[in-house]
Amino acid sequence: LNTAVPPFDDVRVRRAVAHAIDRQFLIDTFRSGLTIPADGPINPSSRWFAENDYPDFDPAAAQELVDAYEADVGPIEFTVKAEPNASVIEVIDVMISFLADVGIDATLEEIGQGQSAITAILDDYQAFSWFQFGSPDPDGLYVFFHSSGGALNWSNLVSEKIDTGLDTGRQSPDPAERAQGYGLFLEALGEEVPKIWIDHLNGVEAVVTIPELHGIGTPGEFADGTSSLPMTDGSFFAWPGVWLEQ
């Protein structure tokens, strides 16, 4: 969501959209029920995950926020842009129907194949569809969310709380302090809702392997007793935790 332009410059609208969308319905319908709902960019299987206040599916809460915004500003209308990918368009169409149920008028605009990045860089959108994230270490999120250091902070959200959390995670050598920082970061994301999350892709990956290769699918242990990351933790294969038994 582009938080620098109406209607998403108002957090009430961002939270209303999140409340209006049934993530589990989308997962059951389009992912065969295999994935898990997302409330931020950090997977629940990650050591850096923390609960936050991302809005649950609650049409009544969404309607209340819509009514309050409309009383102050007027009707909520926006365009969501997406590349001509049939499976993505299907999901967006269903999301638009959820929004219509609470009085939000969203329209789909298809952009050219491969045009998402330039659309984001030019800020030429109110909302657009994107697949992203999954870095095994949350410092990989810095560039997408930090107000001043985030060259790809496409939502344009400026949040001191997010910056403090990301800076703590980047600068501290103490894992416990880093975890507190990323917890603060996730807390702020749940409050500010710069993005509408759908799901983490756990459960839809498949890897053919041999018994001697460890750290795929589920975490294993290194020789020193520390835990590895599962290879399929996130949106891409994370090889650093994969190891071969001699």
Side-chain angles (χ1 to χ4, degrees):
L1 309 179
N2 190 345
T3 66
V5 300
F8 296 120
D9 55 348
D10 193 307
V11 70
R12 293 176 296 180
V13 178
R14 304 196 299 267
R15 293 188 68 84
V17 170
H19 273 310
I21 293 173
D22 187 345
R23 290 169 291 169
Q24 192 59 54
F25 178 87
L26 297 176
I27 289 168
D28 292 340
T29 304
F30 298 105
R31 306 285 203 202
S32 300
L34 294 173
T35 59
I36 59 174
D39 55 16
I42 299 180
N43 201 296
S45 65
S46 169
R47 64 184 292 191
W48 311 109
F49 175 77
E51 299 283 351
N52 67 9
D53 189 32
Y54 181 80
D56 290 327
F57 175 54
D58 187 341
Q63 188 68 67
E64 185 176 339
L65 289 165
V66 169
D67 292 344
Y69 179 86
E70 290 188 340
D72 293 339
V73 183
I76 300 174
E77 301 174 346
F78 70 91
T79 298
V80 55
K81 296 186 175 183
E83 295 183 19
N85 179 316
S87 60
V88 172
I89 298 302
E90 278 188 308
V91 173
I92 293 174
D93 283 340
V94 173
M95 293 171 68
I96 286 174
S97 72
F98 284 136
L99 298 177
D101 289 342
V102 298
I104 296 175
D105 182 12
T107 304
L108 171 65
E109 178 184 337
E110 291 190 25
I111 57 178
Q113 194 72 43
Q115 293 300 301
S116 290
I118 192 64
T119 298
I121 291 169
L122 295 177
D123 283 338
D124 184 24
Y125 70 98
Q126 292 171 291
F128 75 102
S129 173
W130 193 262
F131 290 85
Q132 190 66 58
F133 314 122
S135 172
D137 190 289
D139 189 61
L141 300 169
Y142 194 97
V143 70
F144 294 104
F145 292 94
H146 197 281
S147 300
S148 59
L152 303 180
N153 178 21
W154 294 324
S155 70
N156 296 309
L157 181 68
V158 176
S159 166
E160 182 179 353
K161 197 170 181 179
I162 286 176
D163 293 350
T164 299
L166 289 173
D167 286 337
T168 299
R170 168 165 284 195
Q171 296 167 7
S172 175
D174 180 3
E177 190 172 345
R178 293 191 75 210
Q180 289 181 347
Y182 291 127
L184 185 67
F185 161 66
L186 290 174
E187 181 182 304
L189 282 185
E191 295 166 353
E192 297 286 355
V193 194
K195 302 184 188 295
I196 303 301
W197 307 99
I198 303 300
D199 60 351
H200 296 289
L201 300 183
N202 307 52
V204 297
E205 308 97 337
V207 179
V208 178
T209 184
I210 57 175
E212 293 80 13
L213 193 63
H214 298 268
I216 295 179
T218 57
E221 285 192 356
F222 291 119
D224 63 1
T226 58
S227 295
S228 69
L229 290 169
M231 177 180 173
T232 54
D233 182 21
S235 61
F236 58 83
F237 291 153
W239 290 97
V242 178
W243 58 282
L244 185 65
E245 178 183 342
Q246 292 186 352

